Amino acid sequence: MKLKIAALLLVYIAITHEIPAQVQWGIKAGGNLSAMLLKDETGYTKVKLRPGFHLGGTADLALSDKFSLQPALLFTSKGFTIDKDGGAQYLYGVDKIKFTSYYIELPVNFIFKPKVGNGKMLLGAGPYIAYGLGGRWKAEANGMSVKGKLKFLNDFSSTDSSWGGNNRTVPYTKPFDFGANILIGYEFSKNLYIHFNAQLGLLDVDMSYDGVSDETSSLKTVQGGFSIGYRF
C-alpha cells in the first residue's frame, strides 16, 4: 500500500505541480524485451524473453540546465515464453506457450543531463505505474497450435462458469503493476534523443484464487528496451 501511495504522489507532482520552467512535449517509440519472474517453492521457472514495443507521448520539465523531470504516457506490450526446457508440458500441457500482454504505462524519470560533445548524456531513474488492458496467448503441441486472449484479474473464482469449454480467454495476472526504471542515453539536440532502459516490477502480480493468495509463489515483471524520442 505504501508503494502505491508513493507512486500516486509522484504522478500527481509530475502532472499538477507548477514548476517555473520550460516544458517540452514530445513523442517516443521503441522496442522491448520482457519476461516474467515466476517463483514458487522450488525456485524460479525458466522463461524466455518476449519481444514487444512501446509508443506514446512525453513531457520534459526543465528544473535546471542539467536536471529535468520526464513523465510519459505509453502504450506498451510485454510478455514471456515458456518452452519444454521451462516446463511448459508440466505447467500447461503443451510444448511451448507465448504470452503477450498490453498495458497503459506511466513512467516518471528524474534525469541528469551533463553536456558531452555537441549534446548531452542522459542518466535517469524513477518509478512507473502500469495497468493491464488485455492480451493474447499462443500454444504449440504435437505440431499444432492454438491461440486465445488474456484477461487481467485480481481474483480467480472457481465458481465462474464463463471459463473453460470453447472459451479461449484465460486469466493472466493482476492488472495493476508498479516498479522502477533506470535509463542511459544521449540527447543529440533539444529535439532528438535515444536511450536504453531497464525496468523491474516491485509488486507481486500473481492473482488470488477464490480470495486466497499463494504465499509460496510470486510473479514480477522485468523488461529492457530502447527508445527514440522527439520533442516539439
Side-chain angles (χ1 to χ4, degrees):
M1 180 58 71
K2 291 181 179 179
L3 291 176
K4 292 182 181 180
I5 292 173
L8 292 174
L9 285 174
L10 285 169
V11 170
Y12 175 80
I13 292 171
I15 295 176
T16 66
H17 187 60
E18 190 172 325
I19 300 175
Q22 181 182 3
V23 178
Q24 282 188 295
W25 302 97
I27 56 174
K28 75 174 181 179
N32 311 326
L33 285 175
S34 61
M36 189 77 75
L37 300 178
L38 289 76
K39 185 181 180 181
D40 59 21
E41 64 275 7
T42 63
Y44 286 96
T45 299
K46 185 178 180 180
V47 304
K48 292 187 175 181
L49 295 169
R50 186 95 176 110
F53 67 92
H54 61 270
L55 57 91
T58 65
D60 185 276
L61 292 75
L63 305 178
S64 70
D65 290 340
K66 293 184 178 181
F67 292 92
S68 67
L69 183 68
Q70 294 184 354
L73 185 61
L74 306 174
F75 178 78
T76 182
S77 68
K78 302 180 182 181
F80 64 100
T81 298
I82 299 180
D83 58 16
K84 290 181 179 180
D85 292 338
Q89 186 67 45
Y90 171 74
L91 293 171
Y92 301 102
V94 297
D95 296 329
K96 179 189 289 187
I97 187 165
K98 303 175 183 178
F99 297 96
T100 303
S101 51
Y102 303 106
Y103 293 82
I104 290 292
E105 186 172 288
L106 178 61
V108 181
N109 290 306
F110 297 89
I111 308 295
F112 175 52
K113 301 194 292 186
K115 186 172 179 59
V116 176
N118 294 325
K120 293 182 178 181
M121 180 174 287
L122 303 177
L123 300 171
Y128 77 87
I129 58 173
Y131 192 84
L133 303 176
R136 53 189 172 85
W137 59 270
K138 182 178 180 181
E140 300 175 8
N142 301 320
M144 301 179 65
S145 65
V146 63
K147 57 185 178 180
K149 296 181 179 180
L150 300 175
K151 184 176 182 179
F152 287 89
L153 289 177
N154 286 305
D155 180 73
F156 176 80
S157 174
S158 60
T159 60
D160 188 346
S161 59
S162 65
W163 306 104
N166 293 323
N167 187 351
R168 292 183 177 177
T169 299
V170 300
Y172 189 53
T173 68
K174 293 179 179 178
F176 182 80
D177 191 21
F178 169 77
N181 295 300
I182 58 172
L183 66 84
I184 182 170
Y186 191 78
E187 186 178 88
F188 297 97
S189 68
K190 292 184 178 179
N191 302 98
L192 183 66
Y193 64 91
I194 183 171
H195 69 70
F196 297 88
N197 77 287
Q199 187 182 85
L200 175 64
L202 300 179
L203 291 185
D204 179 5
V205 296
D206 192 11
M207 73 183 75
S208 58
Y209 295 84
D210 293 325
V212 179
S213 298
D214 186 354
E215 301 299 332
T216 65
S217 67
S218 67
L219 300 176
K220 294 184 179 181
T221 57
V222 61
Q223 178 180 275
F226 72 94
S227 300
I228 298 175
Y230 185 84
R231 302 190 188 98
F232 302 107

